[in-house]
Amino acid sequence: MTGPGATEPQDMRDMFRSMLLIRCFEEKASEEYMAGRIGGFLHLAIGEEAAVVGTVSAMRADDPLTSTYREHGQALARGTDPRSVMAELLGRSTGLCGGRGGSMHLMDKARSFYGGYGIVGGSVPLGLGLAYAIRYRGGDQVSVTMFGDGATNQGVVAECFNMAGLWDLPIVFLILNNQYGMGTSLEHASAEEDLYPRAEAYGIPAWKVDGMDVMAVRGAVAEATRMAREERSPVCVELLAYRYRGHSMSDPDTVRDAEEKERWRLRDPLITFERVLLGEAVMTADDISAMRAEVEEQVEDAATFAEQSPEVPVGELADDVYANPFNDDARGGALMR
Ligand SMILES: Cc1ncc(C[n+]2csc(CCOP(=O)(O)OP(=O)(O)O)c2C)c(N)n1
Ligand SMILES: [Mg+2]
């Protein structure tokens, strides 16, 4: 992808491919989980592909990105090899983080993806720190930090808005409002259903866009990163989207209304973007079928690679978790052996 600026047909094809890859990858991950090959948590972002791909496509490759635990798409959109992402989900030593991070803790520093975090709101102060580091070093990157509607009620988010506004840090706060925090709807959790005005309260320019429309997201994030880069102003964009699955694989998703889910299915970001691509003759139906087949093959290959990779040896499980995992234990015993 060429990044911000005019959107060429090739950018649109790349964005669609990235969305297809994320959808297909997550459907496969769901199968792997059901087959018992993925342990722990697995949070899928099916339905949020436009929000993720639109955002990443408008960033420069060296702009740091942070995200929540629902971050497979961010890694894939940034160009991380699906093999190493799938292997990470399966806890294999060939995984992106050596199999020790798992689904919630993907990180790819080489692609300026500073990770997935399990703590709700945790990505926000980290994104703020990255923005501070950019300014301190005199760089022209923009830190982009993604978090959910639920996270906006964490006190630390207000603290970060304040510090960014006070110090004019180059940061884009991206609220991915999928309208639920676990099974609790936004209207039951927030006194005010528009979330972007919270940033405005700290003097930060903010607005809301349709997070199911990849081109709208790309346009909004391109403008937000431009403002942060050129005008040295923090910006906040709220993306209104929907996730089609429950909170995580262990959530039976019985709380949400079936009719509501159906209504949002009609706005599936892949289907609506496909219509745009066909309508504007950017791709033909045959092109799309061929791309879908190629992506499916790539995901199958990633799953086979992960399944055939070795598990992390027990003796290495605590590496990179503790600075010195097996020695200097104050209690006098080895921690893992
Ligand atoms: C500090 C903290 N509190 C509670 C939790 C449990 N928890 C995990 S996800 C979640 C909901 C967050 O919702 P939202 O920010 O909207 O993100 P989404 O899951 O919808 O992407 C909660 C309460 C947690 N992980 N961290
Ligand atoms: Mg949410």
Side-chain angles (χ1 to χ4, degrees):
M1 274 175 252
T2 55
T7 306
E8 303 293 335
Q10 188 56 44
D11 294 322
M12 294 170 80
R13 285 190 284 271
D14 289 346
M15 286 155 72
F16 187 62
R17 191 185 191 288
S18 187
M19 289 167 72
L20 272 179
L21 176 63
I22 296 169
R23 173 71 57 96
C24 188
F25 181 95
E26 291 216 305
E27 281 169 351
K28 188 71 195 174
S30 155
E31 279 174 42
E32 293 287 329
Y33 181 94
M34 296 308 283
R37 283 190 285 269
I38 296 178
F41 290 101
L42 185 74
H43 306 87
L44 302 177
I46 295 177
E48 300 179 6
E49 294 89 349
V52 173
V53 171
T55 298
V56 170
S57 80
M59 294 172 65
R60 235 169 53 182
D62 61 342
D63 288 337
L65 175 67
T66 53
S67 167
T68 69
Y69 38 82
R70 204 181 293 289
E71 89 295 23
H72 312 146
Q74 280 84 346
L76 295 170
R78 274 248 135 157
T80 306
D81 187 344
R83 282 180 160 200
S84 72
V85 180
M86 192 64 90
E88 188 59 39
L89 267 47
L90 270 72
R92 306 302 167 108
S93 55
T94 52
L96 182 60
C97 302
R100 293 185 290 269
S103 159
M104 294 200 283
H105 305 113
L106 302 174
M107 175 173 176
D108 192 347
K109 188 162 177 267
R111 290 178 181 77
S112 299
F113 179 43
Y114 286 85
Y117 290 93
I119 302 297
V120 171
S123 55
V124 186
L126 288 155
L128 188 88
L130 287 160
Y132 187 84
I134 292 167
R135 210 191 54 181
Y136 186 77
R137 292 172 174 165
D140 71 341
Q141 302 93 331
V142 171
S143 169
V144 176
T145 185
M146 301 184 80
F147 52 101
D149 44 290
T152 58
N153 288 325
Q154 292 289 77
V156 71
V157 175
E159 293 176 41
C160 290
F161 284 155
N162 186 51
M163 289 169 93
L166 185 66
W167 293 338
D168 296 325
L169 295 179
I171 182 165
V172 175
F173 295 99
L174 264 186
I175 307 174
L176 207 170
N177 176 4
N178 59 17
Q179 308 175 56
Y180 285 86
M182 305 194 101
T184 306
S185 69
L186 182 64
E187 59 175 331
H188 284 105
S190 179
E192 172 55 65
E193 286 181 45
D194 278 335
L195 300 171
Y196 68 92
R198 296 185 191 207
E200 288 180 318
Y202 297 89
I204 297 174
W207 66 94
K208 184 174 185 169
V209 292
D210 180 357
M212 305 297 269
D213 176 345
V214 70
M215 296 303 284
V217 175
R218 178 178 162 95
V221 178
E223 175 57 8
T225 50
R226 188 201 63 74
M227 287 168 71
R229 206 179 314 279
E230 292 173 14
E231 298 169 18
R232 282 282 175 250
S233 165
V235 184
C236 175
V237 180
E238 177 181 347
L239 308 174
L240 184 65
Y242 198 78
R243 66 169 149 71
Y244 295 139
R245 301 289 188 98
H247 169 72
S248 71
M249 285 300 290
S250 55
D251 172 8
D253 194 22
T254 48
V255 176
R256 295 188 301 176
D257 191 37
E259 202 187 307
E260 173 188 285
K261 284 187 239 177
E262 259 330 290
R263 221 172 37 245
W264 282 91
R265 281 256 176 225
L266 297 175
R267 307 203 40 226
D268 185 318
L270 280 145
I271 295 172
T272 50
F273 194 38
E274 186 174 321
R275 258 184 236 135
V276 172
L277 295 168
L278 292 170
E280 295 185 11
V282 174
M283 293 180 86
T284 64
D286 284 349
D287 294 337
I288 289 173
S289 304
M291 186 180 271
R292 188 169 279 125
E294 190 209 330
V295 163
E296 280 167 6
E297 200 176 307
Q298 189 183 13
V299 168
E300 280 306 317
D301 165 76
T304 306
F305 171 81
E307 287 166 25
Q308 291 175 354
S309 291
E311 294 196 337
V312 184
V314 173
E316 291 173 18
L317 281 176
D319 288 2
D320 304 325
V321 177
Y322 301 102
N324 192 355
F326 300 127
N327 301 304
D328 300 338
D329 175 14
R331 289 159 297 179
L335 287 173
M336 297 297 300
R337 281 181 178 152

